[in-house]
């Protein structure tokens, strides 16, 4: 190009010292007049020395070629290419309208060239939809299960036998909650074969083989056995054995007799006959008990060896009824407390509650032969089971009314001083002192 220099270049290819710079302040382009082949400018810090040429690629052992091939377009000695500057942001390339005639174009070529990130059409998230359907299905199952449990509870509550057991004019008062548990010798619902198999006999009428008082409250659970031969005043009937009150006036007279003797207000009444007891034991699959001594009692239909074993319904009934041991009735009430605690402990265990093949027969057997006060409901039985679980867990107290001697024949007279200590503490919802424990 003419006019880049003010004169012809001097011989030797180098401009004279002090020559004016080319126009525009830029060096001459290669191939233009005045351009000379000058060495590359050295980098700072290298003492003015030019950079050495790149080393040739290393060879693999055995002469099998370079370890890494150079990318296409680059030789062994070619300098690395410089990164091109990003193009300036400009208007997006318009996409052709749908259905427009023309050659087919790949969708990727229609992406904007200005660096923007776009999101194309996405497939439906089947995993999220499947999770939503699964969560909805489980919610529906839980709702149906809850409805079934509530419905079954209502059915059981409506099928319980109710009687007027709690006196309407009771003057007793106490803190906490008191349950009177009665095991009657009622043979209702038993066939002649069942009476023979269970050795219950065919006696008419109704008496009580078991009388227990369960107190629950802030002091814990306290289970007290009342021997059926306890000689107590019976309202309107003079003094007699406590089980005679049940024979004279049924549950209501028995509750009134116990309230007068203990000073405690009875809040709930629960009565279980022979059939319900056997059905409950068989429904939970038997109860494990450790029998201290062998017992052979034909009257109770019991022949059992000493040792830890599982008792079925008929064996358990004979075990809690027999008196064929040295302690007679005192041994019997102790066995009754221990067995009832073990039975209710197993009935309320998670393995029973979540097993419908055990829970449904258990609930049906208990509610089919159980008798409660006309103000009691299924949740009151749940409170009873919870209180008995506290006794069987070792935190509660199991004892017998303190006995002071005989009142003639087989009649038992209470130790009034110690009995007042025990029931006075329960009236105030306090733990009774150990000195008041019987017999």
């Amino acid at each position: 190009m003419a006019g880049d220099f003010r004169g012809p270049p001097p011989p030797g290819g180098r401009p004279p010292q002090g020559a004016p710079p080319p126009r525009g302040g830029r060096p001459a382009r290669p191939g233009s007049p005045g351009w000379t082949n000058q060495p590359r400018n050295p980098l700072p810090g290298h003492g003015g020395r030019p950079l050495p040429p790149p080393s040739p690629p290393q060879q693999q052992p055995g002469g099998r070629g370079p370890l890494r091939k150079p990318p296409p377009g680059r030789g062994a000695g070619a300098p690395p290419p410089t990164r091109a500057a990003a193009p300036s942001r400009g208007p997006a390339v318009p996409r052709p309208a749908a259905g427009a005639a023309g050659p087919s174009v790949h969708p990727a070529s229609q992406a904007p060239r200005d660096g923007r990130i776009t999101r194309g059409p996405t497939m439906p998230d089947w995993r999220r939809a499947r999770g939503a359907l699964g969560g909805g299905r489980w919610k529906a199952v839980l709702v149906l299960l809850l409805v079934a449990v509530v419905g079954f509870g209502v059915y059981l509550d409506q099928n319980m036998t109710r009687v007027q057991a709690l006196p309407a004019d009771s003057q007793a008062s106490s803190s906490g909650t008191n349950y009177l548990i009665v095991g009657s010798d009622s043979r209702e619902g038993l066939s002649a074969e069942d009476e023979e198999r269970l050795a219950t006999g065919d006696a008419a009428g109704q008496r009580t083989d078991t009388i227990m008082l369960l107190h629950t409250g802030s002091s814990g659970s306290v289970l007290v056995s009342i021997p059926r031969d306890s000689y107590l005043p019976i309202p309107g009937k003079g003094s007699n054995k406590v089980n005679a009150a049940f024979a004279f006036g049924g549950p209501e007279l028995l509750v009134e007799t116990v309230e007068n003797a203990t000073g405690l207000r009875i809040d709930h009444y629960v009565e279980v006959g022979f059939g319900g007891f056997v059905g409950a034991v068989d429904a939970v699959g038997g109860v494990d008990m450790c029998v201290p001594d062998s017992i052979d009692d034909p009257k109770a239909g019991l022949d059992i060896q000493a040792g830890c074993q599982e008792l079925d319904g008929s064996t358990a009934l004979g075990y809690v009824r027999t008196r064929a041991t040295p302690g007679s009735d005192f041994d019997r009430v102790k066995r009754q407390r221990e067995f009832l605690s073990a039975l209710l402990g197993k009935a309320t265990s998670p393995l029973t509650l979540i097993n419908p093949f055990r829970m449904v027969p258990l609930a049906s057997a208990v509610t089919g032969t159980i008798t409660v006060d006309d103000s009691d409901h299924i949740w009151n039985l749940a409170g009873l089971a919870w209180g008995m679980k506290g006794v069987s867990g070792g935190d509660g107290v199991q004892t017998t009314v303190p006995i002071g001697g005989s009142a003639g024949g087989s009649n038992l007279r209470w130790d009034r001083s110690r009995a007042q200590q025990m029931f006075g503490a329960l009236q105030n919802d306090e733990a009774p002192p150990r000195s008041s424990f019987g017999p």
Side-chain angles (χ1 to χ4, degrees):
M1 296 174 58
D4 287 346
F5 290 95
R6 294 185 178 182
R14 293 180 179 272
Q17 297 292 334
R23 295 179 182 178
R26 297 182 180 178
R29 298 181 180 179
S32 61
W35 177 82
T36 56
N37 187 11
Q38 299 180 8
R40 285 184 281 178
N41 294 328
L43 293 178
H46 285 74
R49 294 175 297 175
L51 291 174
S55 58
Q58 300 180 4
Q59 299 292 327
Q60 296 186 16
R64 290 182 292 178
L67 290 175
R68 184 177 58 184
K69 294 181 179 180
R74 289 181 57 185
T82 58
R83 181 176 300 177
S88 60
R89 187 181 299 270
V93 178
R95 300 187 180 185
S104 59
V105 181
H106 194 277
S109 64
Q110 303 300 323
R113 302 301 183 182
D114 55 357
R116 292 181 298 164
I117 299 177
T118 60
R119 178 177 296 177
T122 59
M123 296 296 291
D125 194 345
W126 296 112
R127 291 177 297 179
R128 183 181 306 171
R130 185 169 61 251
L133 292 177
R137 188 186 307 116
W138 279 111
K139 291 180 180 179
V141 171
L142 291 177
V143 170
L144 291 177
L145 182 60
L146 180 61
V147 171
V149 171
V150 173
F152 185 60
V154 172
Y155 168 78
L156 295 177
D157 186 72
Q158 293 178 348
N159 282 272
M160 288 193 302
T161 303
R162 291 180 169 85
V163 296
Q164 179 65 39
L166 303 181
D169 56 349
S170 175
Q171 300 298 321
S173 63
S174 57
S175 301
T177 305
N178 299 304
Y179 298 82
L180 187 65
I181 307 169
V182 175
S184 72
D185 61 358
S186 172
R187 290 141 177 95
E188 184 178 356
L190 297 179
S191 63
E193 292 78 8
D194 291 335
E195 291 177 354
E196 182 178 359
R197 177 174 59 89
L198 300 176
T200 61
D202 55 357
Q206 192 173 4
R207 287 166 295 276
T208 56
D209 271 1
T210 304
I211 304 175
M212 287 185 287
L213 192 149
L214 175 66
H215 174 85
T216 62
S218 60
S219 60
S221 298
V222 181
L223 183 63
V224 182
S225 294
I226 301 176
R228 69 175 190 174
D229 293 337
S230 299
Y231 195 72
L232 299 174
I234 301 176
K237 300 297 181 179
S239 294
N240 207 326
K241 293 181 180 180
V242 66
N243 67 338
F246 190 82
F248 291 152
E252 189 171 4
L253 186 57
L254 175 63
V255 171
E256 187 177 358
T257 301
V258 172
E259 284 187 344
N260 291 341
T262 62
L264 299 175
R265 180 182 181 86
I266 303 301
D267 302 293
H268 305 286
Y269 174 83
V270 179
E271 176 189 333
V272 183
F274 285 164
F277 181 85
V278 174
V281 174
D282 289 337
V284 299
V287 177
D288 295 328
M289 293 295 295
C290 290
V291 181
D293 301 304
S294 300
I295 305 174
D296 185 10
D297 183 7
K299 293 182 178 181
L302 179 66
D303 185 6
I304 189 173
Q305 301 299 317
C308 295
Q309 54 200 289
E310 184 179 81
L311 306 184
D312 59 8
S314 59
T315 305
L317 181 60
Y319 182 71
V320 299
R321 291 181 59 218
T322 183
R323 290 187 176 188
T325 55
S328 187
D329 200 43
F330 296 114
D331 289 345
R332 185 172 75 158
V333 295
K334 181 180 179 181
R335 287 192 299 270
Q336 291 171 351
R337 290 195 307 266
E338 293 174 348
F339 189 87
L340 184 61
S341 298
L343 172 61
L344 291 180
K346 188 172 183 179
T348 55
S349 67
L351 294 179
T352 300
L353 296 177
I354 66 176
N355 186 351
F357 298 101
R358 285 189 176 182
M359 190 59 195
V360 173
L362 171 64
S364 301
V366 171
T367 57
T369 56
I370 200 172
T371 302
V372 297
D373 181 66
D374 54 9
S375 63
D376 287 328
H377 295 279
I378 191 70
W379 50 87
N380 299 125
L381 295 182
L384 169 65
W386 186 260
M388 291 296 298
K389 191 175 182 66
V391 174
S392 61
D395 297 332
V397 174
Q398 299 186 43
T399 186
T400 306
V401 174
I403 302 300
S406 173
S410 60
N411 299 328
L412 299 176
R413 179 174 51 85
W414 288 6
D415 186 332
R416 285 295 172 184
S417 175
R418 295 165 60 201
Q420 285 181 353
Q421 290 181 1
M422 173 184 292
F423 296 121
L426 296 181
Q427 273 187 315
N428 298 322
D429 196 16
E430 299 174 354
R434 296 192 63 86
S435 59
S436 66
F437 293 176

